[in-house]
Amino acid sequence: MNYYLGLSYLGMHDSNIALLDENGDIIFAVNEERFSRIKKDGRWPNRSLKYLKENFGVYKPKTICVPCEDPNLKIKEEEYNIDLLTKRSPKLPPGYGVYNKEWERKIIKVFPKTKIYYAGHHSSHAASAYFMSGFKEAIIVTIDNGAYNEPWIATVHTANREGMKPLFKFSKNLYYSPAKSYSLITALLGFAPNKDEGKITGLSSYGKFNQDCIVIVNKLIKNPELYNISFWLNSLESKVIPCCKVNSHILHKFNKKISKYSKEDVAFAIQYIVEKEVLNLIEYLKNKIKIKNIALAGGLFANIKINKKIHELGFDEIFVSPPMGDDGLAVGSVYYKLLQDKHIKPKKIDNVYNGYKISSPINLLKKFNIKYKLITNQQKLINIIANLLEEGNIIAIAKGKMELGPRSLGNRSILASPVNKNINKILSRKLKRTEFMPLAPAVMQEISDKCFFGLKGKMHTASFMTTTVDCKPYFKKKCPAVVHVDNTARPQLVKKEVNKFFHGLLNKFYKKTGCPSLMNTSFNMHGEPIVCTEQDALRNFFLAKLDYLVLGNCLIEYQVNQEPLAKAVEIFSRHLDKK
């Protein structure tokens, strides 16, 4: 059996690794942030590689796959003239080759005798969406903010059983980037660009159509000066954390132009503009190419409202890569290699439980003198949790393998009853989050048609929380806490064969209460990555003062004044990390 290691290192954000076999099955995949505890950490993935070596050292990779262009190629600009919509040649980005060569140098140092395969940034995005979809044929669209190591901000591929074929590639200087414009407004509204775009999506539902505001926002995002509102510091640093900073002078200057409009209306405006641009492009592709399925990847497609409207253009099926952003590049680079070699055909994945696995935490709990109940009988544990949830308790789950991508899907989740309309305010206070962000429901797939409209053609992608749906009156009445202000929800559809424990809990809660869902949000404090290890789970549990924590097969009840334990666990974790 041959093994492949995907390694994504942009030097700015979202470093990640993925170990796969020659059949395309993921053995292990993780974002560096989960081990470093630095949100969107873009440094060289030392911790991830260390964990891989210590736990999966027997799997020796034949090839290192990287999502960038070969830095040793002498590329002429005319070779990139495949932008069929504009018929013009793009300019290579000013940083082209610098990042790629640094990447190559580090890989050769760590893996001196291993082959390096250069997959390309957007090709890796496209391969992640196509392979995981299992489609026989598809249109594949990728859109993001672009990268320093290649000139593209969007690509279109067609794919079938013979492989992937590039159709259009849009460069930074030719095609206006809807993803970048979204980031510009994210910064302008006082949020963190390259991190908080999802907040703008949530906030947009509270805004209203305002023609004047839309015109102003549209002018702003076409202004070259606004593109300097954010910049990166410490790129390619190994010890200092790369960070995206906002230019306060530009922020204040352009804030004056939108000051008379509410943040909600500005968020609505950018959502409206970007939706229109993306939908126009994809409708054009649909009519021109005549393929009925579409697969999506790239940071823009974290935007669940856009994903919903793309499906409504009339595609038979839609699939969004679960790690749709740059956190999916390591996996995608290996998929691209395997697809190009024609070793494999796309496989319809049913889960992304590919990360760190929670083991027995008993020694750790004893070390900190934390009271717990060990419950090895899974049905008994399910019954107890269902009762606690019915009573109104908030329960954190850290069990099994961690999810790949930005969504918690039952193994690193915070759960609560969706009956209580105030649960969003309660959790926002405990987790230091913003209240306007909607909470998501987890629902057994077999009863999902009872809850939502328009699931046909997106049942698969909805199992990964990558799209939104309209809620039926029955669901809105039964589960008001997880229905957004625009009457939509971002569901996780759960199958028994995919996550037996979580499905069993949903089923038990449904039978006990008649409520068809549980509120499922990611287990992390605001501004931090989703919890990874046993130590992370304990620290976040104590800090948030949640009611109960399921850690492996142990049930822990929060006791008053346990917050000091959070600091103790954090110090202990740092000590382990230094080792």
Side-chain angles (χ1 to χ4, degrees), residues 419-427 481:
V419 174
N420 182 2
K421 291 183 179 180
N422 294 319
I423 193 64
N424 199 333
K425 291 182 179 179
I426 295 169
L427 278 172

Side-chain angles (χ1 to χ4, degrees), residues 30 34 352-356 400-404 412 531-532:
V30 72
R34 302 297 173 88
V352 285
Y353 301 121
N354 305 124
Y356 177 93
K401 291 184 178 181
M402 181 175 59
E403 301 89 339
L404 173 64
R412 300 292 189 277
V531 302
C532 176

Side-chain angles (χ1 to χ4, degrees), residues 320-564:
V320 183
S321 175
M324 71 291 290
D326 288 351
D327 48 357
L329 286 173
V331 167
S333 66
V334 178
Y335 285 151
Y336 186 74
K337 163 69 173 169
L338 296 175
L339 287 167
Q340 291 299 104
D341 291 350
K342 303 189 187 305
H343 284 169
I344 55 173
K345 304 298 182 185
K347 294 181 181 179
K348 186 176 181 178
I349 64 157
D350 61 10
N351 75 84
V352 285
Y353 301 121
N354 305 124
Y356 177 93
K357 185 177 181 180
I358 293 287
S359 60
S360 175
I362 292 175
N363 290 338
L364 182 64
L365 297 175
K366 287 180 177 178
K367 178 179 179 64
F368 291 102
N369 197 27
I370 298 170
K371 294 180 181 180
Y372 67 92
K373 290 181 181 179
L374 177 63
I375 307 169
T376 55
N377 184 302
Q378 297 301 285
Q379 189 56 54
K380 182 179 179 181
L381 182 57
I382 284 170
N383 293 343
I384 291 171
I385 299 171
N387 288 335
L388 292 171
L389 288 165
E390 184 183 20
E391 293 167 3
N393 291 290
I394 299 172
I395 299 180
I397 304 283
K399 190 176 177 64
K401 291 184 178 181
M402 181 175 59
E403 301 89 339
L404 173 64
R407 313 294 189 216
S408 288
L409 300 170
N411 285 7
R412 300 292 189 277
S413 293
I414 295 173
L415 307 177
S417 169
V419 174
N420 182 2
K421 291 183 179 180
N422 294 319
I423 193 64
N424 199 333
K425 291 182 179 179
I426 295 169
L427 278 172
S428 295
R429 184 178 70 250
K430 287 180 175 290
L431 301 172
K432 316 300 182 188
R433 297 180 183 175
T434 44
E435 291 180 17
F436 58 79
M437 289 300 291
L439 297 173
V443 178
M444 292 183 290
Q445 182 168 296
E446 60 266 33
I447 65 168
S448 57
D449 278 331
K450 188 176 181 179
C451 304
F452 309 114
F453 294 105
L455 281 173
K456 185 179 179 182
K458 56 182 179 181
M459 295 280 278
H460 183 208
T461 204
S463 64
F464 301 103
M465 285 188 178
T466 55
T467 187
T468 187
V469 292
D470 294 315
C471 299
K472 291 185 175 180
Y474 159 80
F475 186 79
K476 188 174 182 179
K477 180 180 179 181
K478 289 284 187 179
C479 309
V482 290
V483 179
H484 198 29
V485 65
D486 59 2
N487 197 47
T488 65
R490 185 191 70 200
Q492 176 197 358
L493 306 186
V494 183
K495 292 182 180 180
K496 183 177 182 179
E497 58 269 28
V498 172
N499 193 326
K500 185 177 179 180
F501 180 84
F502 195 26
H503 184 277
L505 179 57
L506 288 165
N507 192 32
K508 185 67 178 179
F509 186 76
Y510 181 42
K511 288 179 177 179
K512 281 181 64 64
T513 65
C515 183
S517 80
L518 283 171
M519 184 284 300
N520 176 14
T521 193
S522 58
F523 186 7
N524 62 283
M525 300 297 290
H526 175 66
E528 294 186 9
I530 294 170
V531 302
C532 176
T533 66
E534 296 84 353
Q535 291 88 352
D536 301 335
L538 286 169
R539 175 184 173 275
N540 278 259
F541 172 63
F542 293 132
L543 282 177
K545 303 179 185 180
L546 304 175
D547 297 315
Y548 290 88
L549 167 64
V550 177
L551 187 61
N553 291 328
C554 295
L555 181 64
I556 303 161
E557 182 178 5
Y558 181 82
Q559 306 292 327
V560 178
N561 298 324
Q562 282 191 320
E563 304 92 274

Side-chain angles (χ1 to χ4, degrees), residues 170-395:
F170 304 98
S171 70
K172 296 175 185 178
N173 64 311
L174 295 180
Y175 181 73
Y176 168 68
S177 170
K180 183 64 177 177
S181 68
Y182 216 94
S183 292
L184 297 176
I185 298 303
T186 299
L188 196 57
L189 288 179
F191 298 97
N194 296 296
K195 186 182 291 185
D196 288 343
E197 282 76 6
K199 291 183 179 180
I200 305 303
T201 309
L203 190 62
S204 69
S205 296
Y206 292 88
K208 61 184 184 298
F209 183 93
N210 183 320
Q211 184 64 46
D212 290 340
C213 182
I214 291 170
V215 169
I216 292 295
V217 170
N218 200 32
K219 286 182 179 179
L220 286 179
I221 58 178
K222 301 296 185 351
N223 188 324
E225 189 178 357
L226 186 59
Y227 277 70
N228 296 318
I229 194 172
S230 64
F231 55 94
W232 281 93
L233 290 177
N234 309 321
S235 298
L236 296 176
E237 291 286 342
S238 58
K239 294 182 179 179
V240 184
I241 300 166
C243 58
C244 186
K245 293 289 187 179
V246 174
N247 184 315
S248 58
H249 173 73
I250 294 177
L251 175 66
H252 293 314
K253 177 180 179 179
F254 283 90
N255 253 335
K256 295 177 182 178
K257 299 181 183 296
I258 59 169
S259 59
K260 66 179 181 179
Y261 306 110
S262 68
K263 284 190 174 183
E264 291 81 1
D265 283 0
V266 174
F268 179 96
I270 190 62
Q271 180 72 25
Y272 176 86
I273 293 165
V274 171
E275 278 183 9
K276 187 175 181 180
E277 291 174 343
V278 173
L279 293 173
N280 284 344
L281 170 65
I282 292 180
E283 188 168 29
Y284 166 81
L285 296 171
K286 178 178 177 292
N287 294 333
K288 181 179 179 66
I289 302 172
K290 308 295 184 184
I291 292 178
K292 304 265 185 178
N293 302 322
I294 188 164
L296 308 169
L300 180 83
F301 297 113
N303 192 310
I304 55 175
K305 296 180 73 172
I306 287 178
N307 297 344
K308 176 178 184 286
K309 293 191 175 182
I310 289 172
H311 180 246
E312 291 169 351
L313 290 175
F315 288 99
D316 286 354
E317 286 198 60
I318 182 174
F319 182 78
V320 183
S321 175
M324 71 291 290
D326 288 351
D327 48 357
L329 286 173
V331 167
S333 66
V334 178
Y335 285 151
Y336 186 74
K337 163 69 173 169
L338 296 175
L339 287 167
Q340 291 299 104
D341 291 350
K342 303 189 187 305
H343 284 169
I344 55 173
K345 304 298 182 185
K347 294 181 181 179
K348 186 176 181 178
I349 64 157
D350 61 10
N351 75 84
V352 285
Y353 301 121
N354 305 124
Y356 177 93
K357 185 177 181 180
I358 293 287
S359 60
S360 175
I362 292 175
N363 290 338
L364 182 64
L365 297 175
K366 287 180 177 178
K367 178 179 179 64
F368 291 102
N369 197 27
I370 298 170
K371 294 180 181 180
Y372 67 92
K373 290 181 181 179
L374 177 63
I375 307 169
T376 55
N377 184 302
Q378 297 301 285
Q379 189 56 54
K380 182 179 179 181
L381 182 57
I382 284 170
N383 293 343
I384 291 171
I385 299 171
N387 288 335
L388 292 171
L389 288 165
E390 184 183 20
E391 293 167 3
N393 291 290
I394 299 172
I395 299 180

